[in-house]
Amino acid sequence: MTDGGDIGGGARKLARGEGVALWRQITQQMEREISGGQYGPGARLPTEAELAERFDVNRHTVRRAMEELEGRGLVRIEQGRGSFVAEDVVDYRLGPRTRFSENIRRQNREPGGRILRVEEMPAEAQLADLLGMRRGRPVVVVERLSLVDGRPLLIGTHHFPASRFGRIPDLLKENPSITAALVACGVPDYRRKVTRITARLPTAEESELLQQSRNRPVLVSEAVNVDPAGEVVDVTIARYAAGRMQMVVES
Amino acid sequence: MTDGGDIGGGARKLARGEGVALWRQITQQMEREISGGQYGPGARLPTEAELAERFDVNRHTVRRAMEELEGRGLVRIEQGRGSFVAEDVVDYRLGPRTRFSENIRRQNREPGGRILRVEEMPAEAQLADLLGMRRGRPVVVVERLSLVDGRPLLIGTHHFPASRFGRIPDLLKENPSITAALVACGVPDYRRKVTRITARLPTAEESELLQQSRNRPVLVSEAVNVDPAGEVVDVTIARYAAGRMQMVVES
DNA sequence: TTGCCAAATTCATCTAGACGACTAGTTATC
DNA sequence: GATAACTAGTCGTCTAGATGAATTTGGCAA
């Protein structure tokens, strides 16, 4: 065995004062061990205190490394329980006719969800432009948390022109399905016209609702939906727990 | 004015010991001030030391808050210089015939790039399946950093079956255009068949190449490209600096 | 057995201080 | 005038220690 290193899983000496931060070296080492199969998916990792001792650094330094791994999607950290190797992702198809429930059921998983918020408010400039309506005219905003097998996957915020869809709040009280509410408003079908996608870290509220760590990004999609006549039905902004899904675009 | 608070922009007292972490409260306050226009896009924010004094907390607490804002895309932190309010994003169209250069030029921006790595290696299981070839057979791997107006936007890793595209390494020495190399290999045209998108924090190397903070996520896309006959040409994995672009999917 | 409480474990936050690394501007030197 | 050396300002990393919050465990009482 070479200079104090123990490739089999023991402590490998960190290089101090050589330009590479200690926490980065710990990140790399843990990454090697996880992808090398030292710990299987879902397995529990040593505690921060143990790792700190093993690498002979302060616990804060280990924490910095673990936070990095969590953000990269390799581990999941739970307060009071420990750290675990990450697992499982859902495929989420993004097509012109994407409907959440069908999408999920196609993968033999159980869709679910609940309405978080329904309100009417004036349209801001950018939103009004996308909806093709005048600024300040009322829009109905519906926010929904969608689940897969009981785990939150996305937060969707829908914006409908109130002139045409003012009945939606009442309809949703009867039946929480947005698609059904649209049918009742005379929109039997709609399709996605354009989608913009980016990613960022979640706000405190988002990470709370999605039950996802602050370090894991959210995929943010902004979609414009139109009815068969090409009329804009709504603008939806959805935030997906990136750690739990992969968006699939077919073309 | 109420209990020591100065809504106009001065120090607002933080609530200690009430269940909300101090760094979160600082995040919120700074967010309010930035989105409220206290600081314009690109403007320099107070130093960490100044903020620490203003909020009456340790500098580390301010740092935690600023890292959060950076990850969310609101600010940009530069060592030795300071922190600045974030700006500008590029639209990146993702369609069946997406070509990087055209895509960028359409927005009156200047595309650029350089080849990072070219090598031949055996195909791993998953990759071989996607390419429709046997495991372990050689693939040509080309890694390229693509720039917009001189700023890195994405790292693309292309995987070609070596049987058909073994000449690519030599061709790229003449002309660094991948599209041109494919033409020379008898593939005048190709299109994107399916794309999978997710997001995660970047590795050290990725954040280095993309010149993007460790806290800003990368959008990761995996695309399968096929020629007009439907034969798989390559599998490309691209990592985009999420802070500098929005992916646009039209359907 | 069930339910509850207390202790132990483990991660989360905050403070305090030191030093390193990078930037930008100033001064000294050739 | 150009260049090098220095300096102040600012962010980055690391240590050390204290306290809080969430979870698990084990024992005791009903």
Side-chain angles (χ1 to χ4, degrees), chain B residues 20-237:
Chain B
V20 183
L22 297 179
W23 67 263
R24 277 186 182 292
Q25 298 180 54
I26 296 172
T27 296
Q28 284 174 18
Q29 178 60 26
M30 293 306 293
E31 192 179 353
R32 270 194 295 272
E33 295 183 7
I34 291 169
S35 61
Q38 221 104 330
Y39 311 95
R44 183 172 176 182
L45 296 172
T47 68
E48 294 174 353
E50 284 166 355
L51 289 173
E53 189 179 9
R54 168 180 159 191
F55 289 112
D56 194 23
V57 297
N58 194 277
R59 184 167 75 96
H60 289 110
T61 308
V62 168
R63 275 181 67 71
R64 182 68 188 86
M66 295 303 283
E67 280 173 5
E68 171 90 359
L69 289 175
E70 183 174 53
R72 296 242 300 274
L74 292 171
V75 311
R76 168 173 45 86
I77 304 175
E78 295 185 33
Q79 183 174 359
R81 305 217 318 125
S83 302
F84 306 84
V85 177
E87 18 194 357
D88 91 304
V89 283
V90 176
D91 268 6
Y92 191 82
R93 274 180 64 166
L94 195 75
R97 311 194 112 69
T98 302
R99 301 290 183 275
F100 175 76
S101 304
E102 298 168 24
N103 210 334
I104 298 306
R105 265 194 271 268
R106 189 179 305 138
Q107 294 187 54
N108 299 315
R109 290 175 184 256
E110 190 55 29
R114 69 171 200 274
I115 303 290
L116 300 174
R117 180 167 70 95
V118 179
E119 62 180 327
E120 201 171 303
M121 55 195 301
E124 304 208 347
Q126 203 188 349
L127 179 62
D129 288 350
L130 286 170
L131 284 170
M133 56 189 283
R134 226 169 287 146
R135 299 177 186 185
R137 301 299 294 280
V139 287
V140 174
V141 178
V142 179
E143 198 158 86
R144 181 174 193 273
L145 179 69
S146 299
L147 316 172
V148 174
D149 291 341
R151 306 272 300 166
L153 180 69
L154 73 97
I155 304 167
T157 306
H158 304 255
H159 306 81
F160 306 94
S163 54
R164 189 171 172 199
F165 301 101
R167 291 167 53 217
I168 280 190
D170 292 328
L171 292 165
L172 287 175
K173 280 174 197 145
E174 301 299 315
N175 179 345
S177 161
I178 290 174
T179 300
L182 286 175
V183 170
C185 287
V187 180
D189 190 27
Y190 61 93
R191 63 181 213 87
R192 194 179 277 257
K193 189 174 150 208
V194 62
T195 308
R196 306 177 104 77
I197 302 168
T198 187
R200 58 169 167 76
L201 289 187
T203 64
E205 194 196 359
E206 288 163 353
S207 73
E208 168 77 20
L209 284 168
L210 292 173
Q211 286 176 31
Q212 195 188 236
S213 152
R214 286 189 302 281
N215 297 319
R216 297 301 296 274
V218 285
L219 268 177
V220 182
S221 84
E222 175 193 286
V224 177
N225 290 309
V226 297
D227 64 18
E231 192 76 8
V232 176
V233 171
D234 86 312
V235 170
T236 300
I237 293 173

Side-chain angles (χ1 to χ4, degrees), chain A residues 23-24 31 64 67-68 71-73 91 94-96 191-204 207 214-219 222 242-243 245-251, chain B residues 23-24 31 64 67-68 71-73 91 94-96 191-204 207 214-219 222 242-243 245-251:
Chain A
W23 67 263
R24 278 186 181 293
E31 192 179 353
R64 184 66 188 87
E67 280 173 5
E68 170 89 0
R72 296 243 300 277
D91 269 6
L94 195 74
R191 63 181 213 88
R192 193 181 279 258
K193 188 174 152 206
V194 61
T195 308
R196 307 175 102 77
I197 302 168
T198 188
R200 57 168 170 74
L201 289 186
T203 64
S207 74
R214 286 188 300 281
N215 297 319
R216 298 301 297 275
V218 285
L219 268 176
E222 175 192 287
M245 53 83 72
Q246 238 180 350
M247 206 169 264
V248 179
V249 181
E250 297 194 63
S251 49
Chain B
W23 67 263
R24 277 186 182 292
E31 192 179 353
R64 182 68 188 86
E67 280 173 5
E68 171 90 359
R72 296 242 300 274
D91 268 6
L94 195 75
R191 63 181 213 87
R192 194 179 277 257
K193 189 174 150 208
V194 62
T195 308
R196 306 177 104 77
I197 302 168
T198 187
R200 58 169 167 76
L201 289 187
T203 64
S207 73
R214 286 189 302 281
N215 297 319
R216 297 301 296 274
V218 285
L219 268 177
E222 175 193 286
M245 52 85 72
Q246 237 181 350
M247 205 169 262
V248 180
V249 181
E250 297 195 64
S251 48

Side-chain angles (χ1 to χ4, degrees), chain A residues 175-195:
Chain A
N175 179 348
S177 162
I178 290 174
T179 300
L182 286 175
V183 171
C185 287
V187 179
D189 190 27
Y190 60 94
R191 63 181 213 88
R192 193 181 279 258
K193 188 174 152 206
V194 61
T195 308

Side-chain angles (χ1 to χ4, degrees), chain A residues 209-230:
Chain A
L209 285 169
L210 292 173
Q211 286 175 30
Q212 196 188 235
S213 152
R214 286 188 300 281
N215 297 319
R216 298 301 297 275
V218 285
L219 268 176
V220 182
S221 84
E222 175 192 287
V224 178
N225 291 310
V226 296
D227 65 17

